[in-house]
Amino acid sequence: MCQLLAMNCNVPTDIVFSFTGFAMRGGRTDTHHDGWGIAFFEGAGVRHFVDHQAAIASPIAELIKNYPIKSRNVIAHIRKATQGLVALENCHPFVRELWGSYWVFAHNGDLKEFHPVLDGAFRPVGNTDSERAFCYILQTLRARFGDQRPERAALRGVLEELVAGIAAHGTFNMLLASGNELYAHCSTNLYYLVRQYPFLTAELSDEDVTVDFSEVTTPDDRVAIIVTQPLTTNEQWTAFVPGELKVFLDGIPDAPGNAKIV
Amino acid sequence: MCQLLAMNCNVPTDIVFSFTGFAMRGGRTDTHHDGWGIAFFEGAGVRHFVDHQAAIASPIAELIKNYPIKSRNVIAHIRKATQGLVALENCHPFVRELWGSYWVFAHNGDLKEFHPVLDGAFRPVGNTDSERAFCYILQTLRARFGDQRPERAALRGVLEELVAGIAAHGTFNMLLASGNELYAHCSTNLYYLVRQYPFLTAELSDEDVTVDFSEVTTPDDRVAIIVTQPLTTNEQWTAFVPGELKVFLDGIPDAPGNAKIV
């Protein structure tokens, strides 16, 4: 199984600390060594890095750990190939454009007998079930809403049905981001936490590193981290309920029936 | 004006030498400091790096200069903003998917009153004339050929008409790549050379660096370099004829009526 990591914030924030622990799982503290990738939104633009080397051996992962790229919305993925070859085109996250915005997607899990009809608007380049699911999601959103991006509540409603249908084919823990919005769906394993004032010191579970967030933040900063398995040993992580879709915006999750972020 | 660089080869080759000279133009030997980008095909996959910092100041450009990513098809671009803000979403090259393949595009020049009707299949994320032209090209190719990628000769024929129409709006030096194929159109300034056996020593015109290609190649290697202005002082560069479209495959250019690469 693969590992997912996302960060959603109210101000541009660097992901160096969380990525440092996460990247250790790519071949050192875990066996996910069939490639990795990360995508950072920066305004409407995206920085997208993929590598089919293990994250611990990758010069590009080394760059990310040392170069604090600031972003309000980030998705990262470490791959353990279950479907599809070890090849660059099969590394998550995947990126496509819809409604004049980039969309970024990563998936953990396996889908069985998932062969939706793709009309050609979005077509997989590689041969994973994950990229197929991403193309199917974007195709369905475009068919449903036409040429205009809908309001977030409408988008969320359609997405909720859509991912439930896909998840019926197996395991579908997934992250989908566009602009400042992050959609996270849990089939089996997904955790999140919100770091906000008063900031504490956190200890990485995968490496002997601590960081005192109060030294690197302002009281107004708010950062949500979403991950397959908790990254730190001394913070309170909340497990998603299987079947749950959450939307994160400005570092806050919403919940069904909760209009906090709308 | 911006600067373009492409490399098309018959075996995976690193672009470190040519990129080192080219990156100097991003803020040191020339005034192109409004961002840069590079995309490498690797099989069906693409590594895509963009940065809105000047190429000489960018840690990512530093990585590319030191980490020999091997590719058969590369497009790079250094930007001097003439249309559109200095922002990540306006950095070339741009990437989209069509027919289950990635397409990479970069443009040098300015288009006046170029506002084609875009039907929504490919929509610009940023606000440059260049990205608009790229979306229009892909939309037209898909409308013309439907859901199946055509033979190269057919594609080339349509592309030739299409870019001539766009170039009528101003200056349209452009590079378009997919898989192992590279299409290069010259409006005003574009040069190429083919490095092949017997390999010689080349001297960068922008930096005091030489490389003896005979030490780093085999006799079967063949590499075409396409660039806005010649990169080396002691090699024979061929100027494109204004209005000319060339296709490069396996490091060889074709020419109209010449079936060398077909």
Side-chain angles (χ1 to χ4, degrees):
Chain A
M1 296 283 261
C2 310
Q3 297 251 344
L4 299 171
L5 167 67
M7 180 181 77
N8 181 272
C9 327
N10 66 341
V11 293
T13 303
D14 82 59
I15 197 169
V16 168
F17 174 72
S18 294
F19 184 76
T20 298
F22 183 69
M24 285 302 107
R25 299 184 182 176
R28 199 157 91 187
T29 61
D30 208 333
T31 57
H32 304 88
H33 41 52
D34 297 331
W36 67 281
I38 190 166
F40 302 79
F41 276 91
E42 210 172 292
V46 169
R47 292 182 196 263
H48 180 224
F49 301 89
V50 280
D51 206 344
H52 55 261
Q53 296 187 62
I56 58 157
S58 160
I60 301 173
E62 209 48 45
L63 172 86
I64 308 291
K65 284 194 269 176
N66 293 310
Y67 175 36
I69 296 172
K70 295 203 171 201
S71 170
R72 288 181 55 187
N73 214 6
V74 180
I75 288 181
H77 183 272
I78 293 175
R79 184 159 183 251
K80 166 98 184 87
T82 52
Q83 291 193 23
L85 302 166
V86 178
L88 193 65
E89 64 268 26
N90 288 336
C91 291
H92 310 216
F94 302 100
V95 182
R96 290 288 191 285
E97 171 263 316
L98 170 65
W99 299 317
S101 299
Y102 291 119
W103 293 74
V104 169
F105 172 88
H107 166 219
N108 150 292
D110 246 331
L111 299 173
K112 307 289 182 205
E113 303 188 11
F114 177 68
H115 298 284
V117 176
L118 296 177
D119 65 13
F122 302 93
R123 203 180 281 184
V125 173
N127 54 356
T128 61
D129 53 348
S130 309
E131 194 185 8
R132 210 179 303 136
F134 180 37
C135 290
Y136 175 64
I137 288 171
L138 295 184
Q139 168 183 305
T140 307
L141 291 178
R142 184 148 167 232
R144 229 21 199 273
F145 295 110
D147 272 353
Q148 292 302 319
R149 184 173 183 145
E151 297 292 311
R152 192 165 53 246
L155 183 66
R156 184 221 167 93
V158 168
L159 208 51
E160 208 149 29
E161 279 172 44
L162 191 52
V163 297
I166 298 171
H169 289 266
T171 308
F172 196 59
N173 302 300
M174 76 107 207
L175 301 170
L176 176 69
S178 185
N180 294 328
E181 295 171 16
L182 177 76
Y183 299 83
H185 177 260
C186 172
S187 227
T188 52
N189 283 307
L190 213 53
Y191 294 80
Y192 77 94
L193 61 67
V194 175
R195 292 187 182 127
Q196 58 192 340
Y197 185 82
F199 289 94
L200 305 171
T201 295
E203 286 170 23
L204 279 183
S205 47
D206 295 86
E207 200 168 25
D208 188 16
V209 174
T210 62
V211 66
D212 180 353
F213 286 113
S214 68
E215 287 179 3
V216 291
T217 52
T218 73
D220 295 331
D221 293 3
R222 197 168 47 225
V223 178
I225 303 285
I226 301 96
V227 74
T228 301
Q229 292 297 335
L231 286 170
T232 52
T233 49
N234 66 334
E235 294 178 297
Q236 193 68 41
W237 293 83
T238 304
F240 280 63
V241 176
E244 190 179 17
L245 177 78
K246 281 187 183 293
V247 191
F248 293 81
L249 182 69
D250 294 335
I252 303 183
D254 77 340
N258 170 345
K260 242 194 308 189
I261 69 166
V262 178
Chain B
M1 298 282 262
C2 311
Q3 297 250 346
L4 298 171
L5 168 67
M7 179 180 77
N8 181 273
C9 325
N10 66 341
V11 293
T13 304
D14 82 57
I15 198 168
V16 168
F17 173 73
S18 294
F19 184 75
T20 298
F22 183 69
M24 285 302 107
R25 299 183 182 177
R28 199 157 91 188
T29 60
D30 208 335
T31 58
H32 305 87
H33 41 51
D34 297 331
W36 68 281
I38 189 167
F40 302 79
F41 277 91
E42 210 172 294
V46 168
R47 292 181 197 264
H48 179 223
F49 301 89
V50 280
D51 206 344
H52 55 260
Q53 296 187 63
I56 57 156
S58 160
I60 302 174
E62 207 50 45
L63 172 87
I64 309 290
K65 283 193 270 176
N66 293 311
Y67 174 38
I69 296 172
K70 295 203 171 201
S71 171
R72 289 180 54 186
N73 213 7
V74 180
I75 289 182
H77 183 272
I78 292 174
R79 184 158 183 253
K80 167 99 183 89
T82 52
Q83 291 194 23
L85 302 167
V86 177
L88 193 65
E89 65 268 26
N90 288 335
C91 291
H92 310 217
F94 301 100
V95 182
R96 291 289 192 284
E97 171 263 315
L98 171 65
W99 299 317
S101 299
Y102 291 119
W103 293 75
V104 169
F105 171 89
H107 165 220
N108 150 294
D110 247 331
L111 299 173
K112 306 288 183 207
E113 303 189 11
F114 177 67
H115 297 285
V117 176
L118 296 177
D119 65 13
F122 302 94
R123 203 180 281 183
V125 173
N127 54 356
T128 61
D129 54 349
S130 309
E131 194 186 9
R132 209 179 304 136
F134 180 37
C135 290
Y136 175 65
I137 288 172
L138 295 184
Q139 168 183 303
T140 307
L141 291 178
R142 186 151 163 229
R144 225 30 194 269
F145 295 110
D147 273 351
Q148 291 303 318
R149 185 174 182 144
E151 296 293 311
R152 191 165 54 245
L155 184 65
R156 185 223 166 92
V158 169
L159 209 51
E160 207 149 30
E161 279 173 44
L162 192 51
V163 297
I166 298 170
H169 288 266
T171 308
F172 196 60
N173 302 301
M174 76 106 204
L175 301 170
L176 176 70
S178 184
N180 294 328
E181 295 170 16
L182 177 77
Y183 299 83
H185 177 261
C186 172
S187 227
T188 53
N189 282 309
L190 212 55
Y191 294 81
Y192 76 95
L193 60 68
V194 175
R195 293 187 182 127
Q196 58 192 341
Y197 185 83
F199 290 94
L200 305 170
T201 295
E203 285 170 22
L204 280 182
S205 47
D206 295 87
E207 200 169 24
D208 188 15
V209 173
T210 62
V211 66
D212 180 354
F213 286 113
S214 67
E215 288 177 4
V216 292
T217 51
T218 73
D220 295 331
D221 293 4
R222 198 172 43 229
V223 177
I225 303 284
I226 300 96
V227 72
T228 301
Q229 291 297 335
L231 285 171
T232 53
T233 49
N234 65 335
E235 293 178 297
Q236 193 67 41
W237 294 83
T238 304
F240 280 63
V241 177
E244 190 179 16
L245 177 78
K246 280 187 183 294
V247 192
F248 293 81
L249 182 70
D250 293 334
I252 303 184
D254 77 341
N258 170 346
K260 242 192 308 188
I261 70 166
V262 179

